[in-house]
């Protein structure tokens, strides 16, 4: 049934209303991710307002960015079941409500819930909904469409960084959050343009359930008819025989009566010939006796002879018919009781059998999922890629959150800048996504080595931040970190190359899970380093080392010499899919 529903899916139009979808999704990601991606502007304000440690306060930014990635399997299931439009409307309520609730936060712990969890889950729903509906509308130009849509997060961070700075100056922290939350309600307007191309999952399941029920009822009806037919076949044959006889009798009644009359006359003639002769003899004798006895006495004698025979026959026939009626009535009652007992037992058995089948089906699906997940993680390159993404997220995300505080704590910035460092990171990240995605499409460039190079370049910039003593230097290093942080556009491309297009969804979900944990842990760890040493030097050395370690692990594991050793030991060679024309290079 599922295969039938998939086969009936409409083909991607690759244009037309699809470009309206791209604009709507771009605006949706801009409105949803604008504030979370520029949370570094709000971070110093929360430090001053609640007077908590940097490690504790950093949990707010890490939760809002990491929780959406960690919960990506759940968010994807919501989009598959309910469609992009309802999920985007619901996420608009979540993002706007979370931002407005954060304006009334009494402490940092409340921000963990309102800003970190509520806004984070809302952003995760928006991300999955926009990517899903974009992929449905585009096939040949999917890479371009996804590149435009995902650039909305970077453009949103660039715009919201400057916007929130101005709102903080004019209305304060609470007013800024209220205004930004009200702006996020426009997500529901963006959802209005997301016309579904295919039927949502819950409607597909409901339609399939109705079809299964109709088919089940039809099969049960046919089974009961067959059972009744087999049970009452002799009676049916007898009724059909009587019906045919009656029909023939009504049709050929004159002919039948004539034939019966002739047959009876002939039969009586043949049967009663001796009697006829005897009667003729008696008649002759009667003629002789008429002369001696009166005619009346002879008639009375014949009538009495007839009356002696007929009453006995009538009574016997009546008794036989009564006995037959009683026997039929008793048999009908017994058969009805037996049939009701059989139906009750049959329904109970079928109910238990259906429950057992459902449990076995669920157990088999869970086993298949875990087995497929284990096979994905058994691939050494895929496992190394997951570790590298985790270490990159652990080390490269904290600068987005702490860069403004680094400039203020080192005395490099006297006040809010017209173009904050967070805005520089955001706009260069968008450029990096497009540039690295186009480089990955070139045939002579290995995408895994390109990703490894981006890790090395990011780690070098992070290691240079503690020794930079000018604001211009921080701006340059922020641009470098932001540009190579655009390597997120390579994740789906590399995942497809490793595991193939068939397992892309599951493998990419596992990869995002690793990245989400890294983003969630990174900022608190860097904040704790600062609380411990009262300096960001050790924290950024730790961040740069993590990214460098991830690049080294991926580079060593991806070397072709491992495949050569496998061929020498007669082990099956790992084959990677190279047909990635239809995979989005920018996601």
């Amino acid at each position: 049934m599922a295969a039938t529903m998939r086969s009936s899916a409409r083909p991607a139009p690759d244009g037309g209303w699809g470009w309206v979808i791209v604009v709507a999704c771009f605006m949706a990601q801009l409105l949803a991710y604008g504030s979370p991606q520029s949370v570094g502007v709000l971070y110093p304000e929360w430090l001053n307002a609640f007077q908590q440690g940097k490690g504790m306060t950093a949990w707010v930014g890490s939760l809002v960015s990491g929780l959406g990635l960690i919960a990506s399997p759940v968010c994807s299931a919501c989009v598959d079941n309910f469609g992009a439009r309802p999920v985007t409307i619901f996420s608009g309520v979540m993002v706007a409500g979370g931002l407005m609730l954060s304006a009334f936060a009494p402490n940092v712990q409340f921000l963990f819930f309102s800003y970190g969890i509520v806004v984070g889950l809302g952003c995760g729903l928006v991300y999955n909904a926009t990517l899903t509906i974009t992929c449905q509308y585009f096939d040949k130009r999917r890479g371009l469409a996804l590149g435009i849509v995902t650039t909305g997060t970077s453009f949103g961070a660039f715009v919201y960084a400057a916007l929130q700075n101005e709102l903080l100056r004019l209305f304060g922290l609470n007013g800024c959050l209220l205004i930004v939350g009200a702006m996020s309600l426009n997500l529901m307007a963006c959802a209005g343009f997301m016309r579904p191309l295919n039927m949502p999952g819950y409607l597909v399941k409901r339609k399939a359930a109705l079809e299964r029920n109709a088919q089940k009822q039809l099969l049960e009806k046919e089974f009961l008819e067959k059972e009744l037919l087999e049970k009452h076949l002799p009676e049916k044959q007898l009724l059909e025989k009587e019906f045919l006889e009656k029909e023939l009798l009504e049709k050929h009644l004159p002919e039948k009566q004539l034939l019966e009359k002739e047959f009876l006359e002939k039969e009586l003639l043949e049967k009663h010939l001796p009697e006829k002769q005897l009667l003729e003899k008696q008649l002759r004798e009667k003629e002789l006796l008429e002369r001696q006895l009166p005619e009346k006495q002879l008639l009375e004698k014949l009538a009495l002879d007839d009356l002696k025979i007929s009453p006995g026959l009538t009574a016997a026939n009546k008794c036989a018919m009564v006995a037959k009626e009683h026997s039929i009535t008793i048999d009908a009652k017994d058969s009805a009781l037996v049939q009701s007992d059989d139906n009750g037992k049959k329904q109970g058995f079928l109910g238990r059998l259906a429950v057992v089948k459902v449990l076995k089906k669920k157990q088999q699906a869970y086993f298949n999922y875990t087995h497929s997940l284990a096979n994905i993680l058994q691939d050494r390159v895929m496992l190394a890629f997951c570790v590298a993404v985790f270490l990159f997220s652990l080390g490269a995300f904290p600068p987005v959150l702490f860069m403004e505080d680094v400039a203020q704590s080192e005395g490099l910035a006297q006040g809010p800048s017209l173009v904050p460092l967070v805005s520089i990171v955001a706009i260069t990240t968008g450029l990096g996504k497009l540039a690295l995605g186009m480089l990955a499409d070139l045939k002579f460039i290995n995408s895994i080595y390109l990703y490894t190079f981006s890790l090395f370049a990011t780690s070098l910039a992070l290691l240079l931040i503690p020794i930079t003593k000018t604001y211009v230097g921080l701006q340059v290093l922020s641009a470098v970190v932001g540009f190579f942080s655009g390597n997120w556009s390579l994740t789906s491309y590399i995942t497809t190359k490793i595991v193939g297009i068939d397992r892309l969804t599951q493998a990419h979900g596992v990869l995002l899970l690793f990245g989400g944990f890294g983003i969630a842990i990174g900022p608190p760890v860097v904040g704790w380093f600062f609380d411990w040493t009262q300096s960001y030097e050790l924290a950024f050395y730790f961040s740069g080392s993590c990214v460098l370690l991830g690049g080294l692990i991926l580079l060593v594991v991806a070397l072709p010499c491992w495949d050569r050793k496998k061929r020498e030991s007669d082990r099956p060679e790992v084959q990677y899919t190279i047909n990635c024309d239809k995979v989005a290079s920018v996601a």
Side-chain angles (χ1 to χ4, degrees):
M1 183 61 66
T4 305
M5 294 301 176
R6 287 192 215 102
S7 62
S8 60
R10 295 172 58 186
D14 271 315
W17 189 259
W19 295 115
V20 179
I21 297 293
V22 168
V23 175
C25 293
F26 174 87
M27 291 302 302
Q29 291 206 7
L30 184 149
L31 293 169
Y33 280 95
S35 181
Q37 289 292 323
S38 59
V39 71
V41 177
L42 302 175
Y43 179 73
E45 300 295 329
W46 284 330
L47 286 175
N48 295 331
F50 301 114
Q51 297 297 318
Q52 294 288 335
K54 295 182 184 294
M56 178 68 72
T57 310
W59 272 108
V60 180
S62 62
L63 283 175
V64 74
S65 299
L67 193 61
L69 295 178
I70 294 174
S72 58
V74 178
C75 297
S76 299
C78 292
V79 176
D80 290 338
N81 284 305
F82 302 107
R85 179 183 286 171
V87 169
T88 305
I89 292 174
F90 181 72
S91 64
V93 176
M94 289 188 68
V95 173
L99 289 170
M100 291 180 180
L101 278 177
S102 301
F104 304 99
N107 48 49
V108 175
Q109 287 76 15
F110 188 85
L111 285 175
F112 292 167
F113 168 75
S114 62
Y115 199 93
I117 296 177
V118 178
V119 178
L121 289 177
C123 291
L125 290 172
V126 171
Y127 183 79
N128 284 276
T130 52
L131 293 189
T132 299
I133 195 168
T134 303
C135 291
Q136 290 177 357
Y137 269 86
F138 287 90
D139 184 15
K140 296 179 181 179
R141 288 179 282 188
R142 185 178 296 170
L144 176 61
L146 287 173
I148 296 173
V149 169
T150 54
T151 309
T153 60
S154 303
F155 190 73
F158 174 76
V159 172
Y160 269 70
L163 177 63
Q164 290 184 143
N165 261 333
E166 190 65 21
L167 292 176
L168 287 172
R169 185 180 65 84
L170 294 174
F171 304 103
L173 178 61
N174 296 339
C176 173
L177 290 172
L178 285 173
I179 293 173
V180 172
M183 293 174 60
S184 300
L185 290 172
N186 289 292
L187 281 167
M188 291 185 281
C190 296
F193 294 97
M194 297 180 185
R195 186 172 62 196
L197 187 64
N198 301 318
M199 188 181 298
Y202 78 98
L203 289 179
V204 173
K205 292 179 181 178
R206 182 180 299 177
K207 184 177 179 181
L210 291 175
E211 291 179 356
R212 285 196 300 268
N213 290 335
Q215 187 176 6
K216 182 180 177 182
Q217 292 176 358
L218 181 62
L219 291 175
E220 289 178 352
K221 184 179 178 181
E222 292 178 354
F223 175 76
L224 290 175
E225 290 178 352
K226 184 179 179 182
E227 188 178 22
L228 291 172
L229 180 63
E230 293 176 353
K231 188 174 182 180
H232 302 287
L233 185 59
E235 299 176 8
K236 183 180 179 182
Q237 292 176 347
L238 180 60
L239 291 174
E240 290 178 350
K241 183 178 179 182
E242 293 177 355
F243 177 78
L244 290 174
E245 290 177 353
K246 183 179 179 181
E247 187 178 13
L248 291 172
L249 180 63
E250 294 175 352
K251 187 175 181 180
H252 304 286
L253 185 59
E255 300 177 5
K256 184 178 179 182
Q257 290 175 349
L258 180 62
L259 292 173
E260 286 179 350
K261 185 177 180 181
E262 293 177 355
F263 177 77
L264 288 174
E265 290 177 354
K266 184 178 179 181
E267 187 179 16
L268 290 172
L269 182 62
E270 293 176 354
K271 185 177 181 180
H272 300 289
L273 183 60
E275 297 178 3
K276 182 179 181 183
Q277 295 174 354
L278 179 61
L279 288 174
E280 289 177 352
K281 183 179 179 181
Q282 290 177 356
L283 184 61
R284 286 193 298 271
E285 291 177 355
K286 181 181 176 183
E287 290 176 353
L288 294 174
L289 291 174
E290 283 178 353
R291 301 172 185 176
Q292 300 174 1
L293 295 175
E295 184 177 355
K296 182 177 179 181
Q297 294 177 353
L298 181 61
L299 293 174
E300 289 177 355
K301 183 179 179 181
L302 293 174
L304 287 173
D305 292 339
D306 294 335
L307 290 173
K308 288 178 182 178
I309 298 171
S310 59
L313 293 174
T314 306
N317 290 335
K318 184 176 181 181
C319 292
M321 291 181 65
V322 171
K324 185 176 181 181
E325 289 177 0
H326 281 286
S327 65
I328 292 173
T329 305
I330 293 171
D331 292 339
K333 291 181 179 178
D334 293 340
S335 63
L337 290 173
V338 172
Q339 185 177 0
S340 64
D341 293 339
D342 292 342
N343 289 337
K345 292 180 181 179
K346 188 179 296 181
Q347 289 178 358
F349 175 73
L350 290 176
R352 290 192 296 270
L353 185 62
V355 173
V356 172
K357 286 182 178 180
V358 170
L359 292 177
K360 286 184 177 181
K361 185 177 180 181
K362 297 293 184 182
Q363 184 179 6
Q364 185 65 30
Y366 177 75
F367 174 77
N368 293 337
Y369 178 81
T370 53
H371 182 68
S372 178
L373 184 62
N375 288 337
I376 289 172
L377 293 178
Q378 283 178 356
D379 190 295
R380 73 173 196 283
V381 181
M382 186 64 201
L383 182 60
F385 188 41
C386 291
V387 173
V389 169
F390 169 76
L391 292 174
F392 172 77
S393 302
L394 180 65
F397 179 72
V400 179
L401 183 62
F402 291 103
M403 197 66 75
E404 290 293 336
D405 192 55
V406 169
Q408 294 181 13
S409 62
E410 295 292 334
L412 302 179
Q414 300 300 326
S417 175
L418 182 62
V419 182
L421 296 175
V422 177
S423 297
I424 296 175
V425 172
I427 197 65
T428 52
T429 300
L431 296 175
K433 287 179 181 179
L434 295 175
L436 293 176
M438 289 187 291
L439 288 175
D441 286 332
L442 300 178
K443 295 182 179 180
F444 58 87
I445 291 182
N446 188 305
S447 57
I448 296 180
Y449 293 155
L450 179 62
Y451 186 86
T452 304
F453 174 76
S454 69
L455 297 186
F456 289 150
T458 305
S459 65
L460 179 62
L462 291 173
L463 294 172
L464 291 176
I465 287 177
I467 61 175
T468 302
K469 301 303 180 182
T470 62
Y471 191 75
V472 176
L474 284 180
Q475 289 178 326
V476 173
L477 292 177
S478 299
V480 174
V481 171
F483 182 84
F484 288 105
S485 294
N487 58 11
W488 281 100
S489 62
L490 303 176
T491 54
S492 60
Y493 194 98
I494 297 173
T495 305
T496 307
K497 184 176 182 181
I498 296 174
V499 302
I501 190 67
D502 295 333
R503 296 190 293 175
L504 172 62
T505 303
Q506 188 176 5
H508 199 258
V510 174
L511 192 69
L512 291 180
L513 185 66
F514 277 84
F517 275 116
I519 290 175
I521 297 173
V525 171
V526 172
W528 289 332
F529 272 115
F530 182 88
D531 294 337
W532 179 37
T533 62
Q534 295 300 312
S535 174
Y536 280 109
E537 291 185 3
L538 186 60
F540 277 90
Y541 287 144
F542 170 78
S543 297
S545 300
C546 288
V547 178
L548 180 62
L549 179 62
L552 289 174
I553 291 174
L554 183 60
L555 177 63
V556 172
V557 174
L559 290 175
C561 60
W562 299 100
D563 294 330
R564 190 179 304 113
K565 289 181 179 180
K566 281 192 174 184
R567 287 193 294 270
E568 292 174 357
S569 59
D570 293 332
R571 293 180 182 178
E573 182 183 358
V574 179
Q575 299 291 335
Y576 300 116
T577 306
I578 59 174
N579 186 13
C580 302
D581 295 333
K582 295 185 178 181
V583 178
S585 61
V586 181

